[in-house]
Amino acid sequence: MSPTLPAARPAARPYYPALTGLRAVTCLMVFSKHFRPVYTPEWLNLIIEQFHMTMSMFFLLSGFVMATRYQSDVAFTRPWWRRYLWRRLARVYPIFLLLNTSVLLYVYWPVPPGQAGHTALLVFLSETLLRGFSSTLKYVGLPQAWSLTAEECFYFSLPVLLVLWQRYGYRGAAAFAGAVLAIGLGLTAICRGHEALHGFFGSFHHLFNFTFFGRVLEFTMGVGLARWWGGRPTASVAGWPWRTTLSLALMLAGGVVLVRLNSPFDWYDGNLKPATILLNVVFYPVCMTLLLAGLLTERSWLRAVLGTRLLDAMGKRSYSFYLMQIGLLSIWWRNEFGWRQHVGWQLLVTMVFSELLYRLVEEPARRWILARTLPRGEWS
């Protein structure tokens, strides 16, 4: 009788510290857009106001990371969907539920007489992330969590995109992106102007600034980058980092144009000028895709800095930090010290709480959920 050999361990997934560090830098840019000292010079305010374009990096990185993980493992079967959706839920929802619920309780409790039904609807739309489809309700709860609605739409549609790309190449991907955009345009054309819909697909500005339907190109390009990168050696190539250099130069030029245009930025609808919307959802995704390609393939000072242990560690906590920056802590800080006061200390305190949330809530909750929903070999 032959001895039983131990099961082979699955190959380790490739890990890119520079991309994780880039996520940390992007989060810091988002923080600086929301909170900057009141004495910030006007010219610097004008530059920081354009940091809304950093959301493109989050969406591109999501497309790249998710496609890298799943492009060779898609099966339209119930067990596969069960594993896939539980992994996504465990990764995103627990810490969001905790922080979002805390803000909802602060804002809506106690419930005013006669407002129980209305409040319950707002809470339901916020907790389920459906509020992200509304131009007027998307900030109910954690305001920055509007982006999670776009992320969840991408998660649900990613398997379809991967299969289309595998079977039909770039034509399949283009058809996918075009179909998603057409659906969004059609829904907005039908729904806008109807007060009874409470802002759901309420404007084309909202569509292109805040929804998956208007920002599908960013996710699709991230997936395309993963397919281009798949199978390549992980070692960087020596020589002049032309991709990194060119992408930074183009983004700088785009930033100059954004500052010159100085597009009105509506709190609910985002960028209002078509030119700035195009820069935000087309030009910058192209530049950032080139930047990511450079960080993957080239040796550069930027790759070395982003790959440091500090930024790598901060990048792993970036989701907690992103959800922490606006919430009960920022409300307390404003009430205690004033808006945009002692911003450096506020950043430090936010980072400390993010670290605690990551260690005590985000990772333990993810492991707890997966341990109770999936066999150990499928999540450990």
Side-chain angles (χ1 to χ4, degrees):
M1 184 174 179
S2 60
T4 302
L5 296 176
R9 291 189 177 185
R13 297 189 185 95
Y15 180 66
Y16 311 104
L19 301 193
T20 305
L22 181 61
R23 191 184 297 271
V25 172
T26 304
C27 273
L28 292 174
M29 293 175 70
V30 173
F31 182 90
S32 68
K33 177 173 170 56
H34 293 147
F35 308 102
R36 52 189 181 275
V38 292
Y39 50 80
T40 303
E42 186 59 32
W43 65 268
L44 186 55
N45 271 322
L46 195 56
I47 294 173
I48 295 175
E49 278 297 325
Q50 314 311 319
F51 283 0
H52 52 74
M53 56 83 175
T54 53
M55 290 310 303
S56 290
M57 186 60 74
F58 284 124
F59 295 153
L60 277 164
L61 285 169
S62 291
F64 175 79
V65 171
M66 291 293 292
T68 299
R69 180 170 185 175
Y70 290 105
Q71 61 183 332
S72 59
D73 177 33
V74 176
F76 287 96
T77 63
R78 182 176 295 181
W80 187 90
W81 276 103
R82 180 174 179 270
R83 294 194 303 270
Y84 176 73
L85 294 178
W86 273 116
R87 286 170 180 161
R88 294 299 93 214
L89 179 71
R91 175 68 181 88
V92 172
Y93 201 68
I95 189 172
F96 161 76
L97 181 64
L98 173 66
L99 296 177
N100 194 63
T101 301
S102 68
V103 173
L104 291 173
L105 287 172
Y106 176 84
V107 174
Y108 295 109
W109 186 266
V111 179
Q115 295 295 313
H118 177 69
T119 302
L121 177 61
L122 290 178
V123 170
F124 170 77
L125 293 175
S126 181
E127 299 282 44
T128 59
L129 295 172
L130 292 173
R131 45 76 179 258
F133 296 117
S134 170
S135 59
T136 57
L137 302 179
K138 61 178 172 286
Y139 294 142
V140 174
L142 288 177
Q144 67 274 32
W146 67 264
S147 62
L148 297 186
T149 304
E151 290 277 359
E152 295 304 307
C153 289
F154 169 65
Y155 293 157
F156 278 108
S157 61
L158 174 65
V160 176
L161 173 57
L162 290 176
V163 169
L164 287 174
W165 212 315
Q166 289 169 358
R167 293 184 179 178
Y168 305 106
Y170 290 103
R171 291 178 298 173
F176 170 86
V180 170
L181 177 59
I183 292 171
L185 290 171
L187 288 172
T188 304
I190 294 170
C191 297
R192 65 181 181 140
H194 295 278
E195 294 184 5
L197 295 177
H198 299 289
F200 275 79
F201 293 94
S203 74
F204 289 108
H205 295 115
H206 171 73
L207 178 77
F208 285 104
N209 282 292
F210 296 100
T211 74
F212 172 68
F213 300 93
R215 308 195 68 157
V216 64
L217 179 64
E218 290 148 295
F219 293 101
T220 305
M221 293 188 71
V223 175
L225 179 66
R227 292 192 59 81
W228 169 80
W229 177 247
R232 290 172 179 263
T234 56
S236 57
V237 177
W240 183 58
W242 68 269
R243 294 182 182 89
T244 304
T245 305
L246 178 60
S247 62
L248 292 175
L250 289 174
M251 284 191 287
L252 178 61
V256 172
V257 174
L258 283 174
V259 170
R260 293 294 298 272
L261 289 174
N262 193 19
S263 174
F265 193 88
D266 183 79
W267 179 249
Y268 284 100
D269 279 339
N271 286 306
L272 301 181
K273 288 182 179 179
T276 54
I277 292 175
L278 282 173
L279 283 169
N280 202 39
V281 302
V282 177
F283 177 78
Y284 267 106
V286 172
C287 296
M288 291 176 180
T289 301
L290 185 61
L291 174 63
L292 293 180
L295 292 175
L296 289 169
T297 60
E298 300 168 343
R299 297 177 188 173
S300 64
W301 64 268
L302 182 61
R303 172 170 165 159
V305 170
L306 293 175
T308 56
R309 295 179 64 179
L310 174 61
L311 287 179
D312 180 59
M314 290 174 61
K316 292 175 181 176
R317 280 80 172 161
S318 60
Y319 182 55
S320 295
F321 179 83
Y322 179 71
L323 293 183
M324 267 294 302
Q325 60 180 291
I326 303 178
L328 289 187
L329 175 60
S330 65
I331 294 172
W332 176 84
W333 198 275
R334 180 194 62 192
N335 295 338
E336 189 72 18
F337 303 108
W339 187 250
R340 295 168 60 182
Q341 297 289 337
H342 308 294
V343 174
W345 286 108
Q346 182 181 357
L347 173 61
L348 180 61
V349 172
T350 304
M351 292 175 67
V352 170
F353 275 94
S354 300
E355 176 69 21
L356 293 174
L357 280 173
Y358 175 78
R359 290 178 176 268
L360 302 179
V361 179
E362 183 180 346
E363 274 298 294
R366 182 184 69 85
R367 292 178 175 274
W368 186 88
I369 291 173
L370 292 181
R372 283 154 181 78
T373 55
L374 300 178
R376 181 171 178 81
E378 296 180 4
W379 68 267
S380 60

